[in-house]
């Protein structure tokens, strides 16, 4: 079975944990133990989130003011390399010698006319006071939005249109490799006015939507979205909250889910199922093998 596994931020950082290298490594090792068992009997493609890591790089960039902060596409590439390295090494430590594992920096094309560029919503970097936010917006030409008691920079989150590394990914899978790709939703690029040259853009692509696109393009048999809750819940956070077992895109469409957390996961999973007629699963990383077996998580199947 060909499986695309989208690892949520909890694969690297549990809620409330300090974003230190030892914490990330400990969580990666826990994830790798689950994934190594899956790799014994399935073709495996891994994607991952990078929100905390990009945020950390943005904070570090602002602290060093001798140069202008690096652009978002470069920060995305840096986090793909770092997280991919950790996953690759820990998987290699658990798998038989000679099992190929490859991490690919993955450019993902977006539409420069995507409405998201006109209304950035994705918060990045430090929290500013009102006065600091006004100054930063004027000097760096950033979009700034309220965030709690302060303000933060916001960037666009355009829809992924095309994954530019599909042929190398297919080539590696055909040769039995585990592939780590499209980390953090991939590196966002747009096509220039000449229709040929590609340029990086200040954006962050939703990891789950990109994972669903990758799973469709690779003709995956299952999309697994691993997060830090055991299922998709109706009425989340209320006394009557209840988990969904088996459901369908049509049934999910009649419910509202949090825009910043479960909403994109449900949307991406439903897209994959509708487009392919295959299965998607959302649940906790700790039960990823049971999710794939159909005995855990929220199983989303065709209507």
């Amino acid at each position: 079975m060909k499986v695309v596994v989208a690892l949520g931020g909890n694969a690297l950082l549990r809620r409330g944990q300090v974003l230190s290298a030892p914490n990330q490594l400990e969580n990666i090792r826990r994830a790798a133990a689950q994934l190594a068992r899956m790799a014994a009997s399935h073709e495996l493609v891994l994607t991952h989130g990078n929100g905390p890591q990009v945020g950390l790089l943005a904070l570090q960039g602002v602290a060093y003011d001798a140069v202008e902060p690096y652009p978002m596409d470069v920060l995305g590439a840096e986090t793909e390399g770092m997280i991919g390295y950790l996953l690759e090494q820990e998987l290699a430590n658990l798998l038989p010698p000679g099992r190929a594992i490859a991490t690919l920096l993955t450019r993902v094309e977006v539409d420069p006319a995507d409405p998201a560029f006109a209304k950035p919503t994705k918060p990045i970097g430090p929290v500013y006071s009102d006065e600091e936010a006004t100054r930063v917006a004027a000097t760096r030409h950033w979009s700034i939005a309220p965030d709690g008691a302060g303000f933060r920079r916001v960037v666009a989150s355009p829809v992924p249109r095309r994954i530019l590394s599909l042929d190398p990914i297919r080539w590696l899978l055909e040769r039995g490799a585990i592939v780590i790709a499209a980390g953090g939703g991939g590196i966002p690029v747009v096509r220039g006015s000449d229709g040929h040259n590609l340029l990086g853009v200040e954006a962050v692509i939703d990891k789950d939507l990109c994972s669903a696109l990758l799973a469709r393009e690779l003709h995956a048999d299952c999309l697994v979205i691993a997060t830090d809750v055991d299922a998709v819940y109706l009425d989340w956070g209320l006394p009557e909250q209840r988990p969904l077992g088996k459901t369908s895109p049509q049934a999910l469409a009649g419910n509202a889910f949090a825009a910043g957390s479960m909403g994109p996961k449900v949307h991406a999973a439903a897209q994959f199922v509708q487009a392919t007629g295959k299965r998607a699963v959302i649940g906790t990383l700790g039960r990823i093998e049971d999710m794939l077996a159909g005995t855990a998580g929220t199983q989303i199947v065709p209507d």
Side-chain angles (χ1 to χ4, degrees), residues 90-105:
E90 294 309 314
L91 281 169
N93 287 339
L94 296 170
L95 292 169
R99 179 68 188 272
I101 311 169
T103 300
L104 294 182
L105 295 182

mmCIF file of all heavy atoms in Angstrom, residues 90-105:
data_model
loop_
_atom_site.group_PDB
_atom_site.id
_atom_site.type_symbol
_atom_site.label_atom_id
_atom_site.label_comp_id
_atom_site.label_asym_id
_atom_site.label_seq_id
_atom_site.Cartn_x
_atom_site.Cartn_y
_atom_site.Cartn_z
ATOM 1 N N GLU A 90 16.797 9.381 12.260
ATOM 2 C CA GLU A 90 16.184 8.508 13.258
ATOM 3 C C GLU A 90 15.515 7.298 12.607
ATOM 4 O O GLU A 90 15.525 6.207 13.179
ATOM 5 C CB GLU A 90 15.194 9.298 14.113
ATOM 6 C CG GLU A 90 15.854 10.365 14.980
ATOM 7 C CD GLU A 90 17.022 9.834 15.791
ATOM 8 O OE1 GLU A 90 16.872 8.759 16.409
ATOM 9 O OE2 GLU A 90 18.087 10.481 15.801
ATOM 10 N N LEU A 91 14.949 7.462 11.428
ATOM 11 C CA LEU A 91 14.411 6.304 10.712
ATOM 12 C C LEU A 91 15.534 5.354 10.306
ATOM 13 O O LEU A 91 15.407 4.133 10.434
ATOM 14 C CB LEU A 91 13.632 6.762 9.475
ATOM 15 C CG LEU A 91 12.220 7.277 9.713
ATOM 16 C CD1 LEU A 91 11.674 7.934 8.441
ATOM 17 C CD2 LEU A 91 11.292 6.133 10.155
ATOM 18 N N ALA A 92 16.622 5.917 9.821
ATOM 19 C CA ALA A 92 17.752 5.078 9.401
ATOM 20 C C ALA A 92 18.312 4.275 10.563
ATOM 21 O O ALA A 92 18.778 3.139 10.385
ATOM 22 C CB ALA A 92 18.843 5.949 8.787
ATOM 23 N N ASN A 93 18.260 4.838 11.778
ATOM 24 C CA ASN A 93 18.763 4.123 12.951
ATOM 25 C C ASN A 93 17.889 2.925 13.314
ATOM 26 O O ASN A 93 18.346 2.018 14.027
ATOM 27 C CB ASN A 93 18.832 5.076 14.147
ATOM 28 C CG ASN A 93 19.969 6.069 14.028
ATOM 29 O OD1 ASN A 93 20.927 5.854 13.291
ATOM 30 N ND2 ASN A 93 19.862 7.184 14.748
ATOM 31 N N LEU A 94 16.646 2.907 12.843
ATOM 32 C CA LEU A 94 15.716 1.842 13.201
ATOM 33 C C LEU A 94 15.499 0.814 12.088
ATOM 34 O O LEU A 94 15.071 -0.308 12.354
ATOM 35 C CB LEU A 94 14.357 2.446 13.576
ATOM 36 C CG LEU A 94 14.339 3.341 14.826
ATOM 37 C CD1 LEU A 94 13.005 4.068 14.930
ATOM 38 C CD2 LEU A 94 14.596 2.524 16.082
ATOM 39 N N LEU A 95 15.776 1.205 10.858
ATOM 40 C CA LEU A 95 15.506 0.328 9.716
ATOM 41 C C LEU A 95 16.736 -0.507 9.365
ATOM 42 O O LEU A 95 17.858 -0.183 9.763
ATOM 43 C CB LEU A 95 15.084 1.179 8.516
ATOM 44 C CG LEU A 95 13.724 1.875 8.663
ATOM 45 C CD1 LEU A 95 13.524 2.894 7.560
ATOM 46 C CD2 LEU A 95 12.592 0.856 8.657
ATOM 47 N N PRO A 96 16.544 -1.581 8.611
ATOM 48 C CA PRO A 96 17.697 -2.409 8.211
ATOM 49 C C PRO A 96 18.711 -1.596 7.417
ATOM 50 O O PRO A 96 18.336 -0.685 6.662
ATOM 51 C CB PRO A 96 17.049 -3.490 7.330
ATOM 52 C CG PRO A 96 15.614 -3.511 7.733
ATOM 53 C CD PRO A 96 15.259 -2.124 8.121
ATOM 54 N N PRO A 97 19.980 -1.902 7.563
ATOM 55 C CA PRO A 97 21.008 -1.198 6.787
ATOM 56 C C PRO A 97 20.715 -1.304 5.293
ATOM 57 O O PRO A 97 20.295 -2.344 4.800
ATOM 58 C CB PRO A 97 22.300 -1.940 7.156
ATOM 59 C CG PRO A 97 22.008 -2.577 8.484
ATOM 60 C CD PRO A 97 20.556 -2.924 8.458
ATOM 61 N N GLY A 98 20.915 -0.226 4.609
ATOM 62 C CA GLY A 98 20.691 -0.232 3.170
ATOM 63 C C GLY A 98 19.318 0.241 2.755
ATOM 64 O O GLY A 98 19.094 0.483 1.553
ATOM 65 N N ARG A 99 18.358 0.367 3.684
ATOM 66 C CA ARG A 99 17.042 0.881 3.299
ATOM 67 C C ARG A 99 17.186 2.358 2.954
ATOM 68 O O ARG A 99 17.624 3.170 3.780
ATOM 69 C CB ARG A 99 16.026 0.703 4.431
ATOM 70 C CG ARG A 99 14.619 1.241 4.104
ATOM 71 C CD ARG A 99 13.957 0.401 3.026
ATOM 72 N NE ARG A 99 12.712 0.982 2.570
ATOM 73 C CZ ARG A 99 11.518 0.756 3.111
ATOM 74 N NH1 ARG A 99 11.408 -0.063 4.161
ATOM 75 N NH2 ARG A 99 10.428 1.296 2.607
ATOM 76 N N ALA A 100 16.839 2.709 1.750
ATOM 77 C CA ALA A 100 17.047 4.079 1.265
ATOM 78 C C ALA A 100 16.009 5.027 1.856
ATOM 79 O O ALA A 100 14.810 4.717 1.905
ATOM 80 C CB ALA A 100 16.977 4.112 -0.252
ATOM 81 N N ILE A 101 16.468 6.186 2.298
ATOM 82 C CA ILE A 101 15.612 7.257 2.781
ATOM 83 C C ILE A 101 16.125 8.552 2.153
ATOM 84 O O ILE A 101 17.337 8.799 2.137
ATOM 85 C CB ILE A 101 15.650 7.394 4.316
ATOM 86 C CG1 ILE A 101 15.440 6.041 4.992
ATOM 87 C CG2 ILE A 101 14.599 8.392 4.807
ATOM 88 C CD1 ILE A 101 15.727 6.055 6.481
ATOM 89 N N ALA A 102 15.223 9.373 1.629
ATOM 90 C CA ALA A 102 15.650 10.605 0.969
ATOM 91 C C ALA A 102 14.765 11.764 1.388
ATOM 92 O O ALA A 102 13.543 11.640 1.437
ATOM 93 C CB ALA A 102 15.597 10.439 -0.550
ATOM 94 N N THR A 103 15.401 12.889 1.706
ATOM 95 C CA THR A 103 14.690 14.129 2.005
ATOM 96 C C THR A 103 14.835 15.060 0.812
ATOM 97 O O THR A 103 15.958 15.341 0.374
ATOM 98 C CB THR A 103 15.265 14.804 3.262
ATOM 99 O OG1 THR A 103 15.132 13.931 4.374
ATOM 100 C CG2 THR A 103 14.546 16.104 3.557
ATOM 101 N N LEU A 104 13.713 15.542 0.297
ATOM 102 C CA LEU A 104 13.736 16.424 -0.872
ATOM 103 C C LEU A 104 13.219 17.812 -0.506
ATOM 104 O O LEU A 104 12.106 17.940 0.021
ATOM 105 C CB LEU A 104 12.854 15.864 -1.991
ATOM 106 C CG LEU A 104 13.275 14.560 -2.646
ATOM 107 C CD1 LEU A 104 12.298 14.207 -3.766
ATOM 108 C CD2 LEU A 104 14.684 14.658 -3.200
ATOM 109 N N LEU A 105 14.012 18.834 -0.771
ATOM 110 C CA LEU A 105 13.481 20.190 -0.722
ATOM 111 C C LEU A 105 12.470 20.314 -1.862
ATOM 112 O O LEU A 105 12.802 20.049 -3.017
ATOM 113 C CB LEU A 105 14.598 21.214 -0.890
ATOM 114 C CG LEU A 105 15.655 21.256 0.218
ATOM 115 C CD1 LEU A 105 16.666 22.352 -0.057
ATOM 116 C CD2 LEU A 105 15.010 21.472 1.572
#
